[in-house]
Amino acid sequence: EMIVRRARGILDDAKALEQEIAASRGEVTGTLVLGVVPTATAFAAQVVNRLHETHPRILVHTDVTTSMAIQQRLLDGTIDAGITYADSVPPGLVTTTDLYEESYVLLAPKDMVQGEGDSISWQAAADLPLSLLEPGMQNRRILDHIFLELNLKPEVMSESSGFMTAIVMAREGAVATILPRALVDALGEISGTRVMTLHCEEDAATQARPICLACLQRSPELTTVAALRRIIDAFAQ
């Protein structure tokens, strides 16, 4: 373990030196390894696109994974930054930048929610056949906590490690699913489905969850991470 820690430090310093040399020539280049929770993939894609427009020589490797994995990989240096839930970031060695509040909507087959308006209660959603992320994912734990606060036991018919399975099943009319609003806005209209705002029949659950950019404290900071920070600051304005 001592050898691994020292080796990672040497590799990290070499990576930083390589990027600094490139930056001294007036260009930002190198590989940026970015960990992203599944619910933030749409936001991350927009950020990466803007980063590429400004710094085309940065290669971004996006790893969609759990918040727990992002936390661990930040600390062991195998990712450079993470877009994750703010409450999953350990204090101390990691710095965070607030990005947005994650809120949730129901994506359901049109035939399944006939007669409903533009919104639906969590209570009514719990009675529908649902496809959700697997229990090990932070998004699933958040949804389970909301249902628990409301004393609800949802009818979960399918679980997966990503959203695509649930979206396809909803389009085919088999199940409904609960998705982050940011993801639905990025995808646009999905044929055969409706998007409905979720609300509580009583103020018992806090639905929004803060998403942040998390980076390991380094001195000096990697030039690729510094470029990412600048893009996100401009993106948030």
Side-chain angles (χ1 to χ4, degrees):
E1 290 179 359
M2 180 180 63
I3 293 172
V4 169
R5 286 196 301 268
R6 181 64 63 86
R8 283 175 177 162
I10 293 171
L11 291 172
D12 203 39
D13 288 344
K15 182 176 181 179
L17 177 60
E18 182 181 5
Q19 293 187 9
E20 284 186 53
I21 292 172
S24 70
R25 303 190 187 107
E27 62 182 7
V28 180
T29 185
T31 300
L32 175 69
V33 184
L34 182 64
V36 182
V37 291
T39 59
T41 51
F43 178 86
Q46 293 172 312
V47 169
V48 170
N49 185 50
R50 294 196 180 196
L51 182 64
H52 182 262
E53 290 174 352
T54 307
H55 304 289
R57 289 179 60 82
I58 294 179
L59 173 63
V60 181
H61 177 84
T62 302
D63 190 353
V64 180
T65 186
T66 66
S67 59
M68 294 180 64
I70 290 174
Q71 172 183 321
Q72 181 59 45
R73 293 184 63 189
L74 277 171
L75 296 176
D76 66 24
T78 55
I79 63 173
D80 301 316
I83 297 179
T84 185
Y85 293 96
D87 57 7
S88 70
V89 178
L93 297 176
V94 177
T95 60
T96 62
T97 302
D98 293 336
L99 298 178
Y100 63 93
E101 293 282 324
E102 180 179 275
S103 59
Y104 310 101
V105 296
L106 182 79
L107 178 74
K110 291 181 178 179
D111 293 342
M112 193 177 288
V113 288
Q114 283 185 345
E116 298 283 354
D118 294 331
S119 67
I120 188 170
S121 69
W122 286 89
Q123 288 80 358
D127 292 333
L128 300 175
L130 294 174
S131 177
L132 302 177
L133 293 185
E134 60 189 18
M137 309 297 286
Q138 177 73 354
N139 171 261
R140 175 62 183 277
R141 293 195 294 270
I142 290 171
L143 297 183
D144 285 347
H145 181 68
I146 293 174
F147 284 124
L148 181 63
E149 283 188 318
L150 296 171
N151 295 315
L152 299 172
K153 187 175 181 180
E155 186 179 355
V156 180
M157 307 295 291
S158 172
E159 297 175 340
S160 62
S161 60
F163 290 114
M164 186 55 65
T165 298
I167 291 172
V168 171
M169 292 177 71
R171 189 187 64 184
E172 296 298 317
V175 298
T177 188
I178 297 174
L179 302 175
R181 180 175 290 279
L183 177 60
V184 173
D185 290 344
L187 291 174
E189 183 177 355
I190 299 173
S191 63
T193 67
R194 289 183 60 196
V195 176
M196 307 173 70
T197 300
L198 284 158
H199 67 267
C200 297
E201 294 179 354
E202 55 187 44
D203 295 331
T206 301
Q207 298 180 32
R209 292 296 188 277
I211 299 293
C212 74
L213 173 71
C215 304
L216 189 66
Q217 293 182 11
R218 289 185 174 95
S219 183
E221 185 174 48
L222 294 174
T223 58
T224 51
V225 173
L228 176 66
R229 287 184 183 277
R230 291 193 295 269
I231 291 297
I232 282 181
D233 288 343
F235 189 75
Q237 292 177 357

